[in-house]
């Protein structure tokens, strides 16, 4: 079964390409490398010991998509081709709304022309918004997003729900990711943020490597286990396997289904720092600074629906996440460059 991975050279897309291929699927990567590198694809090939099919194209370019659909005849689409920086989305809202929604619409329109019915979407825990109840359950209310990035995820969910109401054979799975972190255990592929990382784990690994002097812990006065923020860090390989499970699920179900992809365990920022030191032996100097505006005290998933209906659950620990993230960072100090 051929699966088109829109944005398949990125952090989550590349790990998913590997897991799909290992599970017997035939991934077709489409990426414009705006926030990724073709080197990620050659690294995937190295891990798999075989070549992959890939195209350099912008997913909003429907003519380019049609050419790829004509040649490859995919059976399903997984859509990772979105901009993902919360900060940048506040500064450039139109860019985020244009790209993150146009990619979905273009894919859906071309899928209809070619009668492709399965669509897996990279959504986010951010759709639970600032009033999120913990642990988050798929039936909880959504909305109250604090930035344009978050709204694009929620708007895409609504677009896909409406599309599935109107198009009877559409099979949509919305995957709400919690905090993806870590890297493939080979150390060949991983997260390669541009500039100074916004997210915790790449920041920690760059402190570990000496690229950044110390970690700023955003707040130690939250009502949490130790005062620092608590998140549900999920190993990117577990997350990638969630996409394989979602494709299996979509084979037997029309309409829309929503799944949280998280571990169900909250880990605080300071616990993550300690886990990193324990599993790598590398010290992480840090300072406590003010809270970051827009951050919630705690966010974690109730992942039981994914276990029940897709037989998927995360298996890797926070120690695995830290060890694998560090292997990737230390083997590739400049990322894919
Ligand atoms: N943090 C620090 N220092 C840093 C970076 C982060 O203390 O340098 C803290 C944050 O305050 C937060 C935790 O680490 O408590 C995690 O922060 P991240 O930026 O790594 O992740 P977020 O939970 O803020 O955001 C993530 C994704 C978003 C998504 C959101 C939804 O990056 O794409 O989860 O829950 F929208």
């Amino acid at each position: 079964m051929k699966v088109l991975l829109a944005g398949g050279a990125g952090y989550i897309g590349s790990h998913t390409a590997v897991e799909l291929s290992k599970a017997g699927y035939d991934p077709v990567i489409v990426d414009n490398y705006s926030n990724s590198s073709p080197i990620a694809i050659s690294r995937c090939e190295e891990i798999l010991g075989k070549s992959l099919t890939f195209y350099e194209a912008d997913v909003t370019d429907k003519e380019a998509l049609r050419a790829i659909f004509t040649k490859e005849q995919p059976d399903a689409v997984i859509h990772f081709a979105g901009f993902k920086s919360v900060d940048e989305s506040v500064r450039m809202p139109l860019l985020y709304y244009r790209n993150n929604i146009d990619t979905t619409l273009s894919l859906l329109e071309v899928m209809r022309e070619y009668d492709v019915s399965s669509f897996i979407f990279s959504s986010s825990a951010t759709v639970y918004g600032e009033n999120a109840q913990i642990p988050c359950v798929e039936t909880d209310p959504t909305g109250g997003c604090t930035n344009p990035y978050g709204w694009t995820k929620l708007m895409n969910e609504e677009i896909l729900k409406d599309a599935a109401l109107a198009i009877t054979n559409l099979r949509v799975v919305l995957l709400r990711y919690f905090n993806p972190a870590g890297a493939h255990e080979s150390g060949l592929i991983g997260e390669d943020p541009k500039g100074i990382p916004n997210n915790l784990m790449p920041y920690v690994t760059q402190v570990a490597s000496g690229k950044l002097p110390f970690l700023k812990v955003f707040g130690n006065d939250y009502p949490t286990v130790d005062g620092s923020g608590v998140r549900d860090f999920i190993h990117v390989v577990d997350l990638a396997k969630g996409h394989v499970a979602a494709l299996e699920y979509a084979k037997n179900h029309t309409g829309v289904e929503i799944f949280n992809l998280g571990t169900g365990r909250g880990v605080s920022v300071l616990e993550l720092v300690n886990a990193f030191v324990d599993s790598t032996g590398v010290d992480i100097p840090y300072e406590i600074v003010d809270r970051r505006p827009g951050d919630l005290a705690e966010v974690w998933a109730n992942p039981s629906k994914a276990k029940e209906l897709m037989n998927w659950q995360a298996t890797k620990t926070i120690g695995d996440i830290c060890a694998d993230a560090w292997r990737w960072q230390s083997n590739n100090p400049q990322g894919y460059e």
Side-chain angles (χ1 to χ4, degrees):
M1 182 172 165
K2 254 189 202 181
V3 186
L4 188 142
L5 305 188
Y11 175 43
I12 298 168
S14 56
H15 288 81
T16 303
V18 169
E19 295 310 315
L20 282 173
S21 180
K22 280 171 60 183
Y25 289 90
D26 196 359
V28 174
I29 294 169
V30 180
D31 206 300
N32 64 359
Y33 309 127
S34 67
N35 191 24
S36 62
S37 164
I39 299 168
I41 301 172
S42 24
R43 298 287 184 82
C44 292
E45 293 176 326
E46 198 177 330
I47 292 168
L48 292 164
K50 67 177 185 191
S51 58
L52 291 172
T53 308
F54 60 95
Y55 295 87
E56 179 171 358
D58 190 319
V59 176
T60 61
D61 178 349
K62 290 208 288 177
E63 272 314 308
L65 278 184
R66 286 187 186 105
I68 296 166
F69 273 66
T70 302
K71 176 130 196 290
E72 300 294 340
Q73 302 284 327
D75 304 289
V77 169
I78 309 184
H79 177 15
F80 306 98
F83 294 149
K84 61 175 184 181
S85 159
V86 169
D87 263 22
E88 191 178 57
S89 79
V90 174
R91 284 182 278 113
M92 294 188 252
L94 301 186
L95 180 76
Y96 270 66
Y97 286 114
R98 167 62 68 194
N99 181 72
N100 287 8
I101 291 172
D102 205 349
T103 46
T104 303
L105 295 174
S106 302
L107 284 166
L108 280 173
E109 286 166 353
V110 176
M111 281 170 66
R112 285 208 77 186
E113 292 171 25
Y114 288 78
D115 206 20
V116 178
S117 61
S118 295
F119 191 97
I120 316 291
F121 178 66
S122 301
S123 189
S124 164
T126 196
V127 301
Y128 293 112
E130 56 187 351
N131 299 316
Q133 296 157 30
I134 307 304
C136 302
V137 182
E138 290 86 348
T139 47
D140 285 348
T142 53
C145 301
T146 51
N147 54 75
Y149 159 79
W151 284 115
T152 67
K153 291 296 178 191
L154 188 56
M155 288 174 184
N156 271 312
E157 287 200 358
E158 298 304 318
I159 289 168
L160 286 159
K161 286 180 190 169
D162 286 341
L165 277 179
I167 306 165
T168 44
N169 68 341
L170 202 57
R171 298 150 188 274
V172 175
V173 181
L174 306 176
L175 298 177
R176 292 180 178 161
Y177 306 161
F178 281 69
N179 288 62
H184 192 265
E185 64 179 7
S186 62
L188 286 167
I189 54 173
E191 190 169 10
D192 183 18
K194 282 191 179 147
I196 297 176
N198 288 311
N199 294 121
L200 180 62
M201 185 51 96
Y203 205 104
V204 166
T205 58
Q206 293 197 13
V207 170
S209 72
K211 258 178 122 175
L212 294 168
F214 63 92
L215 171 70
K216 292 180 209 144
V217 174
F218 297 140
N220 68 345
D221 56 354
Y222 285 108
T224 61
V225 58
D226 55 23
S228 64
V230 169
R231 294 293 183 273
D232 187 337
F233 297 96
I234 173 165
H235 195 293
V236 64
V237 172
D238 278 334
L239 190 72
K241 289 178 177 164
H243 296 75
V244 180
L247 275 175
E248 295 290 328
Y249 182 87
K251 281 181 190 165
N252 303 316
H253 298 85
T254 55
V256 181
E257 205 68 66
I258 305 175
F259 294 103
N260 285 338
L261 294 185
T263 66
R265 284 184 306 277
V267 171
S268 79
V269 173
L270 293 173
E271 285 171 341
L272 184 143
V273 169
N274 288 333
F276 190 90
V277 176
D278 283 350
S279 62
T280 65
V282 183
D283 195 30
I284 302 296
Y286 67 84
E287 283 181 16
I288 309 288
V289 301
D290 286 347
R291 291 179 180 190
R292 184 171 65 178
D295 274 354
L296 302 180
E298 315 194 280
V299 184
W300 72 85
N302 175 336
S304 27
K305 184 178 174 188
K307 166 96 174 98
E308 210 175 294
L309 299 188
M310 302 198 296
N311 198 25
W312 171 90
Q313 64 183 329
T315 59
K316 291 181 182 273
T317 65
I318 192 71
D320 298 329
I321 291 176
C322 292
D324 291 340
W326 178 233
R327 190 176 306 107
W328 153 254
Q329 172 72 43
S330 39
N331 290 354
N332 305 271
Q334 307 305 329
Y336 290 116
E337 271 173 34

